[in-house]
Amino acid sequence: FVCTLKELLPCKSFPKTLLFQLLGLSIATLSTVTHYGLHFTLISNVSLDSNAYRVIHYTAFYFGICLSMTLILAALLSSAATVRESQCLTAMGFFCFALAFCGLIPAACWRYTHSTEVEDSMMDVYDLVYEEVRRNTSSFRRHELIAIHEAFLCCGKHSPFGDTTNVENNTCPPGQVHDEGQDCLQEIRDFLKKHMDFVFSLLGIAIGFTVYGMILTSFLWFSIHFSSNLYRKGKYILR
């Protein structure tokens, strides 16, 4: 925060506003990369309406954008409140931090209780495309399967329904040899595990910062309130 209450707030608090803004920009960047990234858009475009992945895909993007805007707005309001010594702006900043906190807690709980739902929905999409290509029911699905193989750098899967060599020869990237290490289901799981671990870590950091922001804005509100009362103490008007 920028300090005008020199006796109550240290001037070094200004970088903390930048930290909140950087956190908001980081969440917005991660949401954009998740929404428009090649791996995620491929699966989203291929998935059926009955599959839960597309709903999760769009919900995560809009939630991340709204959360980032809320954190940036909270930081700007808190900074303006410090400069203008406004209790109203401070209360609005606290409300934004509280709103972000109320959104982050359900998101973290959902990630903990549905830890494999995203992975399972993506692998279900791959299974659907792969089996349709194996049964030669759609030439369009073959192009989609090739795109998935090229994006994830994998080659086919182990199928209990018969020989898959013909599918892999026609859809795997040139020069790749199918083996256990290139199984696409495993590659999708590993890719998503790393991504979701990073998302969960960012959620934890955001929760910590929002709690800190609520404490800081509360302190700022009381500081402005009591400093205003101190200015009036001992002043009298004689008529």
Side-chain angles (χ1 to χ4, degrees), residues 1 6 18 31 38 49 52 55 77 81 83 85 97 101-102 114 120 140 149 157 162 170 178 182 200 224-225 227 229:
F1 293 98
K6 296 181 180 179
L18 297 179
S31 301
L38 177 62
D49 293 336
V55 176
L77 287 172
V83 173
E85 299 185 15
F97 281 121
F101 180 79
C102 292
H114 299 76
D120 292 342
F140 182 72
H149 285 167
K157 68 169 188 173
N170 294 328
H178 176 66
Q182 291 178 317
F200 193 70
I224 295 172
H225 176 73
S227 64
N229 292 338

Side-chain angles (χ1 to χ4, degrees), residues 114-159:
H114 299 76
S115 58
T116 62
E117 185 168 339
V118 180
E119 292 90 335
D120 292 342
S121 61
M122 285 191 75
M123 289 189 290
D124 287 342
V125 173
Y126 180 80
D127 275 332
L128 171 67
V129 176
Y130 189 91
E131 292 305 322
E132 287 191 5
V133 173
R134 188 182 65 82
R135 293 193 298 265
N136 294 320
T137 58
S138 174
S139 59
F140 182 72
R141 289 295 192 185
R142 184 175 293 106
H143 295 291
E144 293 175 341
L145 186 61
I146 292 173
I148 294 174
H149 285 167
E150 291 177 349
F152 286 93
L153 297 177
C154 58
C155 182
K157 68 169 188 173
H158 297 287
S159 176

